[in-house]
Amino acid sequence: MNLPASLKYTKEHEWIRVEGDVAFIGITDHAQKELGDIVYVDIDTLDKEVTQNEVFGTVEAVKTVSDLFSPISGTVLEINDKLDGSPELVNSDPYGDGWMIKMSIGNPAELEALLSAETYGELVGA
């Protein structure tokens, strides 16, 4: 299983990559494997304030629909437009082209409570 050590993770299977004062967020390799073929990503929180653990969108797979939970509080600055026409990017490249949102970091202290790659790996049995 692919778990980049440079990322932080949540128990709800989201990852976060901090670049300066913004964060990229998506779902983990484990989550996309569990969901199966992703057919649609629905995120309607652009320019909205989202609090930590609040739902910022949904991801639809052949078998199920799953909520997406924000790892931190902040404002959604950008939604990955590539996912509109190619939601399968979440399956093929969950940590790269399959990112879902870019958001501001409202409370940097929230980052400290997120899981390391090692801790997340233990959680999912990697």
Side-chain angles (χ1 to χ4, degrees):
M1 182 180 311
N2 184 10
L3 289 174
S6 59
L7 306 178
K8 294 282 194 175
Y9 301 87
T10 70
K11 291 178 182 164
E12 290 78 29
H13 312 291
E14 282 82 23
W15 59 261
I16 181 169
R17 179 177 72 237
V18 175
E19 292 185 7
D21 59 353
V22 298
F24 288 80
I25 296 165
I27 64 170
T28 65
D29 190 36
H30 172 78
Q32 68 82 17
K33 284 179 180 161
E34 291 291 310
L35 288 167
D37 292 337
I38 292 171
V39 296
Y40 187 65
V41 178
D42 182 23
I43 300 170
D44 63 358
T45 49
L46 184 63
D47 297 326
K48 292 185 180 164
E49 284 282 328
V50 179
T51 58
Q52 187 176 37
N53 300 317
E54 184 180 348
V55 173
F56 69 83
T58 59
V59 62
E60 185 176 332
V62 174
K63 301 181 280 190
T64 188
V65 175
S66 186
D67 286 335
L68 299 166
F69 297 94
S70 182
I72 60 168
S73 301
T75 302
V76 177
L77 304 172
E78 187 178 335
I79 297 170
N80 186 351
D81 292 339
K82 290 181 184 175
L83 299 181
D84 281 345
S86 302
E88 68 277 2
L89 286 171
V90 177
N91 291 115
S92 62
D93 193 9
Y95 303 117
D97 286 341
W99 65 271
M100 296 182 172
I101 62 170
K102 184 164 55 169
M103 70 186 295
S104 65
I105 300 169
N107 181 358
E110 291 174 344
L111 295 167
E112 300 306 314
L114 299 174
L115 305 176
S116 67
E118 184 178 338
T119 305
Y120 179 75
E122 290 169 6
L123 177 77
V124 298

